[in-house]
Amino acid sequence: TRDKQCALIRKGQTLIEGHADVKTTDGFVVRLFCISFTKRRQEQVKSNCYARSAQIRKIRKKMVEIMTKEAGTVQLRELVKKLIPEVIGKEIEKQTQGIFPLKDTHIRKVKIIKKPKFDITKLMELHGDGDGDAGVTMVVQESEEAQNLLTASTAAAGDDE
């Protein structure tokens, strides 16, 4: 959320953002936005931890590469399952440790750019002919008050004629 992002931004550190357009295996094109911050080293005396522009470019390139690899090999449903526990953010932190140590690496936003064309034959292949589950018969009969008003009015109109 916006307040979480605002709480992460501070003085004395570099904010690094990256984005990538990725096509999932089920045909969705999603745009992933990533945000990350530089981290002070363990025994660092200096109060700030700014990354050089070349380091930022390398980190951003690595971000895009990881986002493309992680999201391009799965379906949209599995991508959402990866986003919830922040798997991609942790992977980016781990991979870029050699360039510059990062903290608070998150996928901050995911936009669906393009949805796949809806194909009814493919849907029928997935779900069969529909002869499987037809539902359950009602255990308790509906009361007269719970009857649909439209059905009741059409039945009344039919009785009048």
Side-chain angles (χ1 to χ4, degrees), residues 20-32 67-80 82-83 88 110-116 122:
D21 287 0
V22 185
K23 186 169 187 170
T24 60
T25 54
D26 53 353
F28 284 90
V29 177
V30 292
R31 185 172 288 155
L32 299 163
M67 285 190 290
T68 307
K69 184 186 74 174
E70 293 283 332
T73 56
V74 294
Q75 291 186 347
L76 188 68
R77 182 176 285 132
E78 280 83 49
L79 178 63
V80 172
K82 277 187 176 182
L83 291 172
I88 299 173
V110 178
K111 286 183 179 177
I112 295 179
I113 303 297
K114 195 173 183 186
K115 293 180 184 173
K122 192 173 181 184

Side-chain angles (χ1 to χ4, degrees), residues 132-142:
D133 185 23
V136 182
T137 57
M138 288 187 61
V139 180
V140 180
Q141 289 293 2
E142 273 187 62

Side-chain angles (χ1 to χ4, degrees), residues 96-115:
T96 57
Q97 204 68 28
I99 303 167
F100 205 99
L102 298 178
K103 65 174 184 177
D104 297 327
T105 305
H106 303 290
I107 301 294
R108 66 174 180 89
K109 186 193 279 189
V110 178
K111 286 183 179 177
I112 295 179
I113 303 297
K114 195 173 183 186
K115 293 180 184 173

Side-chain angles (χ1 to χ4, degrees), residues 7 28 47 50 109 120-121 129 153 157:
F28 284 90
S47 62
Y50 296 117
K109 186 193 279 189
I120 192 76
T121 56
D129 296 327
S153 63

Side-chain angles (χ1 to χ4, degrees), residues 4-157:
K4 169 75 173 164
Q5 286 180 21
C6 291
L8 293 172
I9 297 170
R10 292 195 320 232
K11 275 176 63 176
Q13 64 186 11
T14 306
L15 180 147
I16 304 166
E17 288 183 308
H19 59 85
D21 287 0
V22 185
K23 186 169 187 170
T24 60
T25 54
D26 53 353
F28 284 90
V29 177
V30 292
R31 185 172 288 155
L32 299 163
F33 294 90
C34 183
I35 190 168
S36 187
F37 301 93
T38 54
K39 182 171 80 174
R40 292 176 63 206
R41 300 203 185 258
Q42 206 121 46
E43 287 120 24
Q44 185 173 329
V45 179
K46 209 187 284 186
S47 62
N48 58 25
C49 54
Y50 296 117
R52 295 192 180 109
S53 59
Q55 291 171 322
I56 293 170
R57 282 196 302 272
K58 281 182 187 172
I59 289 170
R60 194 174 291 126
K61 186 178 178 183
K62 197 69 143 168
M63 268 183 187
V64 171
E65 180 186 308
I66 292 167
M67 285 190 290
T68 307
K69 184 186 74 174
E70 293 283 332
T73 56
V74 294
Q75 291 186 347
L76 188 68
R77 182 176 285 132
E78 280 83 49
L79 178 63
V80 172
K81 287 178 184 170
K82 277 187 176 182
L83 291 172
I84 293 168
E86 287 292 332
V87 174
I88 299 173
K90 289 183 184 120
E91 183 66 25
I92 291 170
E93 277 183 31
K94 205 181 338 171
Q95 295 278 332
T96 57
Q97 204 68 28
I99 303 167
F100 205 99
L102 298 178
K103 65 174 184 177
D104 297 327
T105 305
H106 303 290
I107 301 294
R108 66 174 180 89
K109 186 193 279 189
V110 178
K111 286 183 179 177
I112 295 179
I113 303 297
K114 195 173 183 186
K115 293 180 184 173
K117 246 204 253 177
F118 179 71
D119 191 8
I120 192 76
T121 56
K122 192 173 181 184
L123 182 74
M124 289 316 227
E125 283 176 14
L126 288 172
H127 295 291
D129 296 327
D131 58 331
D133 185 23
V136 182
T137 57
M138 288 187 61
V139 180
V140 180
Q141 289 293 2
E142 273 187 62
S143 64
E144 288 295 321
E145 296 88 40
Q147 189 180 14
N148 189 343
L149 292 174
L150 184 62
T151 312
S153 63
T154 54

